[in-house]
Amino acid sequence: MALNPASQPRLWRLARIGFDRVRRRPVLLYPEGAMFLNDSGKAILELCDGSRTLREITETLGQRYQADVAADVTEYLEGLARRDIVAWRGDTTETAEEAAQTRRAGLGAAAAVTGNGQAHTISVEPTAASGRRLLSQPTTLLAELTYRCPLHCPYCSNPLEMSRADAELSTADWKRVFTQARDLGVLQVGLSGGEPLVRKDLEELVAHARDEGLYTTLVTSALGLTRQRAERLKAAGIDHVQISFQDTDPANADRIAGIKLGRQKYEAAALVKGMDLAFSVNVVLHRANLDHLGEIIEMAAELGADRVELANTQYYGWALKNRQALMPTREQVERSRPIAEAAIRRYKGRMQILYVLPDYYEQYPKPCYGGWGSVYILVTPDGRALPCHGATQIPHLQMVHVNQHELGWIWEQSPIFNAFRGDSWMKEPCRSCPRKAQDFGGCRCQAFALTGDATNTDPVCSLSPRHDLIQAALEQTEGSPEYVYRTVSA
C-alpha cells in the first residue's frame, strides 16, 4: 500500500501498546500476536489515531527528533498496513505486487493451528539491542479453564478422555499460573475450554490477567453470555472476544454442534458489538460447511466482526475420530481458495480475514505452534502443562502439573517441553531436510496419531515415507457418515 501525505493512519482497534516488563521494552499486542517496538516505532503508533494525516505525523516527529523522518515513517506504516495492523482514511494506491502480498499474507498468516482448526498467529520480533532470539521465551498461554461445554462438536480439540469438573484448577491456582506465565515472558492468554463462561470466577481471572499486563482473548461459544456477564467482563478488562459459529445454515449448524442453537450466538455477537468490545468470529471448516464459505464471510461482516478466523480442521482427537465425515473433497478446497482470496481483498482495512488451508491437501506440513516448546504453553483444566493440544495422546511423554512445579521449570527443564526441541530427535528425511527449520517436521501429535511414532515425519509432508496414509484418507471422502459427538462427564 502506498500512502500519500493526506492519508490518515490509525492503529487497528484490536491492538494496544503495552510494556513488556520481562524484556523491558514496548510491545504492540493484538489477537494471538505481538510485535516488539523500539521507542521511535512506539512514538509513530501513538500518533496513529485516524485523526492526524501522515504529513502531520511526520511533521510532529520531525520536530521531536530534529530530523527528516518522512521516508522512514511512511515505510514503517506501509509495512504494518500490509499486515493489517494499521489502516487509514484517505487516498491510497495498491500495486499488483502489494495485492499479491495481501493474498499471501491472508492465506498463510497462521503460524500454528490447533486440533479444532483454530488459528494462532505468532508474530514476535527479536530485540535489536541484544540480538537474542525472543522465541526462546514463550509468548502465548492457552488456559483451558474447563472441559465442560454445552456443545458436542465432532472436531473439538479437547482430548478423548477428559477430566471431571471437580478436578479443575481453583481460582488461586489459575491466578498463580497467569503470574508465573507473565514472569516467564508470556504476552497473550487465551481463556478457553470447553466453555469458559461456565466458570463463575471468569471475571476475576480476566481482571488478574489484565493486571499482569496480559492481552486477554475469551474463546467462547457465547451460549450463556448475558448482558450482565458481558458488562462484568468488559469492566474486568477483557481485550477481545472470539465467538465460534458452526455454519450459516441453521439446521446444519445444529447438526454440527449436536444441539439446537437457535439465535443465541447471533444475539451474543450483537451484544459484544454493541458494547464496542473487540470481536472476532471463528468458524472451523470441514466438508459440511466449506461450500458455505462465501456466506460465512458475509455473515461475519454483517455481524460487524473485526476479524474472522476460517481454519480447516486438523485431524487428531475428536476430529481424527470423525475424519471420514469431516474431510473436504479436493474440489471443495479448490473452490474455496479464490473465494477467500477475493474476500481478503474486498475487506482489507475493514475486517481481517485469516484463512487456513487443510494441511492434508498441502505439499508440506504447517509449523505446529512455531515448533515444539518454542512459543506456546497450554494448561489443561486439571493443571497439566503441554506444548500443544494433542500432547496427552503421546503415551511416553511424562505429564507435568502446575501445582507440582513452577511454570518456569516446566518450560525450561521438563522432559515433555524438551522432547522435540531442536532437531536431534529427528529421523530422515527430516534430519537432512533444508525445510526442518521452517516446519520442524510438522505436527508431532499428528505423526503419532497416524504412524504410532511421534519422531516420524508428519505424514502430511509429501517427502514422508508414510505419505500414503494421507493419500488413503483423501480417497475416503464419499458419503456423510454420522458424527461421533464430543462427550464429557459432568
Short mmCIF file of all heavy atoms in Angstrom, two decimals, residues 54-78:
data_model
loop_
_atom_site.label_atom_id
_atom_site.label_comp_id
_atom_site.label_asym_id
_atom_site.label_seq_id
_atom_site.Cartn_x
_atom_site.Cartn_y
_atom_site.Cartn_z
N LEU A 54 -0.76 11.72 7.54
CA LEU A 54 0.64 11.29 7.51
C LEU A 54 1.56 12.50 7.55
O LEU A 54 2.59 12.48 8.24
CB LEU A 54 0.89 10.47 6.23
CG LEU A 54 2.32 10.00 6.00
CD1 LEU A 54 2.82 9.13 7.15
CD2 LEU A 54 2.43 9.27 4.67
N ARG A 55 1.20 13.57 6.87
CA ARG A 55 2.02 14.78 6.88
C ARG A 55 2.14 15.33 8.30
O ARG A 55 3.23 15.72 8.75
CB ARG A 55 1.42 15.84 5.95
CG ARG A 55 2.24 17.13 5.89
CD ARG A 55 1.57 18.19 5.03
NE ARG A 55 1.52 17.81 3.62
CZ ARG A 55 0.42 17.45 2.97
NH1 ARG A 55 -0.75 17.42 3.62
NH2 ARG A 55 0.46 17.12 1.70
N GLU A 56 1.02 15.39 9.02
CA GLU A 56 1.04 15.91 10.39
C GLU A 56 1.88 15.02 11.32
O GLU A 56 2.60 15.53 12.19
CB GLU A 56 -0.38 16.02 10.92
CG GLU A 56 -1.20 17.12 10.23
CD GLU A 56 -2.67 17.06 10.57
OE1 GLU A 56 -3.16 15.96 10.97
OE2 GLU A 56 -3.35 18.09 10.45
N ILE A 57 1.79 13.72 11.12
CA ILE A 57 2.57 12.79 11.94
C ILE A 57 4.06 12.99 11.70
O ILE A 57 4.86 13.09 12.64
CB ILE A 57 2.15 11.34 11.66
CG1 ILE A 57 0.73 11.08 12.19
CG2 ILE A 57 3.14 10.35 12.30
CD1 ILE A 57 0.14 9.75 11.77
N THR A 58 4.45 13.06 10.44
CA THR A 58 5.88 13.21 10.13
C THR A 58 6.40 14.57 10.58
O THR A 58 7.55 14.69 11.03
CB THR A 58 6.13 13.01 8.64
OG1 THR A 58 5.32 13.90 7.88
CG2 THR A 58 5.82 11.58 8.22
N GLU A 59 5.56 15.62 10.48
CA GLU A 59 6.00 16.93 10.96
C GLU A 59 6.20 16.93 12.48
O GLU A 59 7.18 17.49 12.98
CB GLU A 59 4.97 17.99 10.55
CG GLU A 59 4.99 18.32 9.06
CD GLU A 59 3.88 19.28 8.68
OE1 GLU A 59 3.01 19.57 9.54
OE2 GLU A 59 3.86 19.73 7.51
N THR A 60 5.26 16.29 13.20
CA THR A 60 5.38 16.21 14.66
C THR A 60 6.65 15.47 15.07
O THR A 60 7.40 15.93 15.94
CB THR A 60 4.14 15.51 15.25
OG1 THR A 60 2.97 16.27 14.94
CG2 THR A 60 4.27 15.38 16.76
N LEU A 61 6.88 14.34 14.43
CA LEU A 61 8.05 13.54 14.78
C LEU A 61 9.34 14.20 14.30
O LEU A 61 10.39 14.08 14.96
CB LEU A 61 7.92 12.13 14.20
CG LEU A 61 6.78 11.29 14.80
CD1 LEU A 61 6.64 9.97 14.05
CD2 LEU A 61 7.02 11.02 16.28
N GLY A 62 9.27 14.88 13.17
CA GLY A 62 10.44 15.60 12.68
C GLY A 62 10.89 16.67 13.65
O GLY A 62 12.09 16.85 13.89
N GLN A 63 9.91 17.39 14.24
CA GLN A 63 10.25 18.41 15.23
C GLN A 63 10.81 17.76 16.51
O GLN A 63 11.75 18.28 17.12
CB GLN A 63 9.01 19.23 15.56
CG GLN A 63 8.53 20.10 14.40
CD GLN A 63 7.19 20.74 14.68
OE1 GLN A 63 6.67 20.64 15.79
NE2 GLN A 63 6.63 21.42 13.68
N ARG A 64 10.23 16.61 16.87
CA ARG A 64 10.68 15.95 18.10
C ARG A 64 12.11 15.46 17.97
O ARG A 64 12.91 15.59 18.90
CB ARG A 64 9.74 14.78 18.43
CG ARG A 64 10.08 14.07 19.74
CD ARG A 64 9.14 12.90 19.99
NE ARG A 64 7.74 13.32 20.00
CZ ARG A 64 6.70 12.48 20.12
NH1 ARG A 64 6.94 11.17 20.23
NH2 ARG A 64 5.47 12.93 20.12
N TYR A 65 12.43 14.86 16.82
CA TYR A 65 13.76 14.26 16.64
C TYR A 65 14.72 15.15 15.86
O TYR A 65 15.88 14.77 15.64
CB TYR A 65 13.62 12.91 15.92
CG TYR A 65 12.88 11.87 16.73
CD1 TYR A 65 11.60 11.46 16.35
CD2 TYR A 65 13.45 11.33 17.87
CE1 TYR A 65 10.91 10.51 17.09
CE2 TYR A 65 12.77 10.37 18.63
CZ TYR A 65 11.49 9.97 18.23
OH TYR A 65 10.81 9.04 18.97
N GLN A 66 14.23 16.33 15.44
CA GLN A 66 15.08 17.28 14.71
C GLN A 66 15.73 16.60 13.49
O GLN A 66 16.95 16.65 13.29
CB GLN A 66 16.15 17.86 15.63
CG GLN A 66 15.61 18.75 16.74
CD GLN A 66 14.92 20.00 16.17
OE1 GLN A 66 15.55 20.81 15.50
NE2 GLN A 66 13.62 20.13 16.44
N ALA A 67 14.87 15.93 12.69
CA ALA A 67 15.38 15.22 11.51
C ALA A 67 14.24 15.05 10.52
O ALA A 67 13.06 15.20 10.86
CB ALA A 67 15.93 13.85 11.91
N ASP A 68 14.61 14.78 9.27
CA ASP A 68 13.62 14.48 8.23
C ASP A 68 13.27 13.00 8.34
O ASP A 68 14.06 12.13 7.96
CB ASP A 68 14.19 14.80 6.85
CG ASP A 68 13.16 14.58 5.74
OD1 ASP A 68 12.03 14.15 6.05
OD2 ASP A 68 13.51 14.81 4.57
N VAL A 69 12.07 12.69 8.86
CA VAL A 69 11.69 11.30 9.12
C VAL A 69 10.60 10.80 8.17
O VAL A 69 10.10 9.69 8.33
CB VAL A 69 11.21 11.14 10.58
CG1 VAL A 69 12.32 11.50 11.56
CG2 VAL A 69 9.96 11.98 10.84
N ALA A 70 10.23 11.61 7.18
CA ALA A 70 9.07 11.29 6.34
C ALA A 70 9.20 9.92 5.67
O ALA A 70 8.27 9.10 5.69
CB ALA A 70 8.86 12.38 5.30
N ALA A 71 10.35 9.65 5.07
CA ALA A 71 10.53 8.39 4.35
C ALA A 71 10.48 7.20 5.30
O ALA A 71 9.85 6.17 5.00
CB ALA A 71 11.85 8.41 3.58
N ASP A 72 11.12 7.32 6.46
CA ASP A 72 11.15 6.21 7.42
C ASP A 72 9.76 5.94 7.99
O ASP A 72 9.34 4.78 8.12
CB ASP A 72 12.11 6.53 8.57
CG ASP A 72 13.56 6.51 8.12
OD1 ASP A 72 13.85 5.88 7.09
OD2 ASP A 72 14.40 7.12 8.82
N VAL A 73 9.02 7.01 8.32
CA VAL A 73 7.68 6.83 8.88
C VAL A 73 6.76 6.19 7.85
O VAL A 73 6.00 5.27 8.16
CB VAL A 73 7.12 8.17 9.36
CG1 VAL A 73 5.64 8.04 9.73
CG2 VAL A 73 7.91 8.69 10.55
N THR A 74 6.82 6.65 6.62
CA THR A 74 5.97 6.10 5.56
C THR A 74 6.27 4.62 5.33
O THR A 74 5.35 3.80 5.23
CB THR A 74 6.17 6.89 4.26
OG1 THR A 74 5.84 8.26 4.50
CG2 THR A 74 5.29 6.33 3.15
N GLU A 75 7.55 4.28 5.25
CA GLU A 75 7.93 2.88 5.03
C GLU A 75 7.45 2.00 6.17
O GLU A 75 6.95 0.88 5.96
CB GLU A 75 9.44 2.78 4.86
CG GLU A 75 9.93 1.35 4.61
CD GLU A 75 11.44 1.27 4.48
OE1 GLU A 75 12.12 2.31 4.68
OE2 GLU A 75 11.95 0.17 4.20
N TYR A 76 7.59 2.48 7.40
CA TYR A 76 7.18 1.73 8.58
C TYR A 76 5.67 1.45 8.55
O TYR A 76 5.21 0.32 8.76
CB TYR A 76 7.56 2.52 9.82
CG TYR A 76 7.29 1.83 11.14
CD1 TYR A 76 8.07 0.76 11.56
CD2 TYR A 76 6.28 2.28 11.99
CE1 TYR A 76 7.84 0.14 12.78
CE2 TYR A 76 6.04 1.66 13.21
CZ TYR A 76 6.83 0.59 13.60
OH TYR A 76 6.58 -0.01 14.81
N LEU A 77 4.88 2.48 8.26
CA LEU A 77 3.43 2.33 8.27
C LEU A 77 2.95 1.49 7.10
O LEU A 77 1.98 0.73 7.22
CB LEU A 77 2.76 3.70 8.26
CG LEU A 77 2.94 4.52 9.54
CD1 LEU A 77 2.28 5.88 9.40
CD2 LEU A 77 2.39 3.77 10.75
N GLU A 78 3.60 1.61 5.94
CA GLU A 78 3.21 0.77 4.81
C GLU A 78 3.44 -0.71 5.12
O GLU A 78 2.64 -1.57 4.76
CB GLU A 78 4.00 1.17 3.57
CG GLU A 78 3.52 2.49 2.95
CD GLU A 78 4.39 2.94 1.79
OE1 GLU A 78 5.50 2.37 1.61
OE2 GLU A 78 3.99 3.86 1.07
#
